[in-house]
Amino acid sequence: MFYYVVRALCWLLLKIFWQMKIEGFENIPKKGAVIIASNHVSYLDPAVLVSSFNRKIYFITKKEVFKNTFVSFILKNLNAFSVDRENVDILAFKKAINILREEKVLGIFPEGTRSSNGELQELKLGVIKIAMKTGVPILPVGINGTHKIYPRGKKFPTLFKHKIIAKYGAPQYFNKLKSKDKIYQKEELNLLGKKIKELSTTNN
């Protein structure tokens, strides 16, 4: 219940302040496991994904965010779980695998952190490894506008001046038989990055 209350509130605020628009509805799967992979330029990005996607999203979130007690409480009630970006986090990897095996939706910002200049950074390979381990497709998403509204380092978002567009692309599927092929993984990661970049450069 808490998740859906927050989702409704996010949708309302994003519509009122930034006239949020969602594109690519036809690409969003109505059921089954899927990984949502989006660019990340602002603290608003998770709210955009939560409010634009009609199923619960289980986010992988950097462990540093959980240090704040209040924020940690909110995130845990929104199904987020922590990952150690500096080390190989086996527990987080297993948690992600189990979520997908339960036919749920996993949310990942594959850059690992917010971009400071609004440009897509190099993606981490973990998102491809999780997808290939489970045989689950990745749904690329491009979020446009949030960097102008609430960029990294800014204390408060700008209201009403800019618009937000969340654009969902076609799912990216993988050859599970190549799960140990590092060249194939890198090629697919580059393709994912290209898709996200194209989706996130929409002018608004």
Side-chain angles (χ1 to χ4, degrees), residues 37-42 45 49 108-111 118 120 123 141-144 146 196-197 199-200:
S38 170
N39 61 316
H40 195 19
V41 294
S42 169
D45 298 333
L49 294 180
I108 299 178
F109 294 108
E111 296 165 89
L120 188 71
L123 306 188
V141 187
I143 299 176
N144 184 266
T146 54
I196 294 175
K197 188 172 184 179
L199 293 166
S200 61

Side-chain angles (χ1 to χ4, degrees), residues 182-198:
K182 293 183 179 180
I183 295 177
Y184 175 79
Q185 291 178 1
K186 187 64 177 177
E187 290 174 345
E188 292 300 311
L189 184 69
N190 291 336
L191 179 58
L192 175 63
K194 181 181 290 188
K195 288 183 177 181
I196 294 175
K197 188 172 184 179
E198 289 174 353

Side-chain angles (χ1 to χ4, degrees), residues 1-199:
M1 177 61 77
F2 181 80
Y3 182 95
Y4 291 106
V5 169
V6 172
R7 179 179 181 273
L9 181 60
C10 286
W11 183 87
L12 182 63
L13 294 176
L14 292 169
K15 275 289 188 179
I16 291 173
F17 293 132
W18 303 291
Q19 301 176 48
M20 184 181 69
K21 181 181 178 182
I22 306 165
E23 298 181 359
F25 275 111
E26 69 278 7
N27 294 315
I28 300 177
K30 296 180 180 179
K31 60 181 180 179
V34 67
I35 299 171
I36 297 177
S38 170
N39 61 316
H40 195 19
V41 294
S42 169
Y43 277 137
L44 290 175
D45 298 333
V48 171
L49 294 180
V50 166
S51 59
S52 63
F53 203 85
N54 57 5
R55 297 166 60 192
K56 277 188 180 180
I57 303 174
Y58 293 74
F59 284 102
I60 297 181
T61 308
K62 61 182 181 181
K63 69 175 186 178
E64 292 83 356
V65 179
F66 288 84
K67 290 181 179 180
N68 181 294
T69 304
F70 176 73
V71 173
S72 177
F73 172 80
I74 297 295
L75 289 175
K76 288 178 180 178
N77 279 279
L78 290 175
N79 307 312
F81 61 100
S82 67
V83 63
D84 185 346
R85 298 175 300 164
E86 304 302 323
N87 301 289
V88 178
D89 195 333
I90 301 298
L91 289 178
F93 185 79
K94 288 182 177 179
K95 174 73 172 177
I97 297 297
N98 288 335
I99 286 170
L100 294 171
R101 286 176 175 168
E102 292 173 0
E103 300 288 295
K104 295 176 181 177
V105 180
L106 181 69
I108 299 178
F109 294 108
E111 296 165 89
T113 188
R114 287 168 296 150
S115 170
S116 58
N117 61 4
E119 297 294 325
L120 188 71
Q121 304 171 96
E122 183 178 355
L123 306 188
K124 307 297 183 184
L125 195 57
V127 63
I128 299 294
K129 290 183 176 180
I130 292 172
M132 295 190 70
K133 177 73 175 179
T134 57
V136 168
I138 294 178
L139 189 66
V141 187
I143 299 176
N144 184 266
T146 54
H147 181 256
K148 296 176 183 178
I149 294 165
Y150 197 16
R152 188 170 184 170
K154 189 174 182 178
K155 289 186 177 181
F156 302 102
T158 301
L159 304 182
F160 301 111
K161 189 176 180 180
H162 304 288
K163 297 180 181 179
I164 293 174
I165 296 176
K167 190 169 184 178
Y168 288 83
Q172 181 176 348
Y173 293 86
F174 306 93
N175 185 343
K176 197 175 180 180
L177 297 177
K178 292 187 176 182
S179 60
K180 296 183 179 180
D181 187 333
K182 293 183 179 180
I183 295 177
Y184 175 79
Q185 291 178 1
K186 187 64 177 177
E187 290 174 345
E188 292 300 311
L189 184 69
N190 291 336
L191 179 58
L192 175 63
K194 181 181 290 188
K195 288 183 177 181
I196 294 175
K197 188 172 184 179
E198 289 174 353
L199 293 166

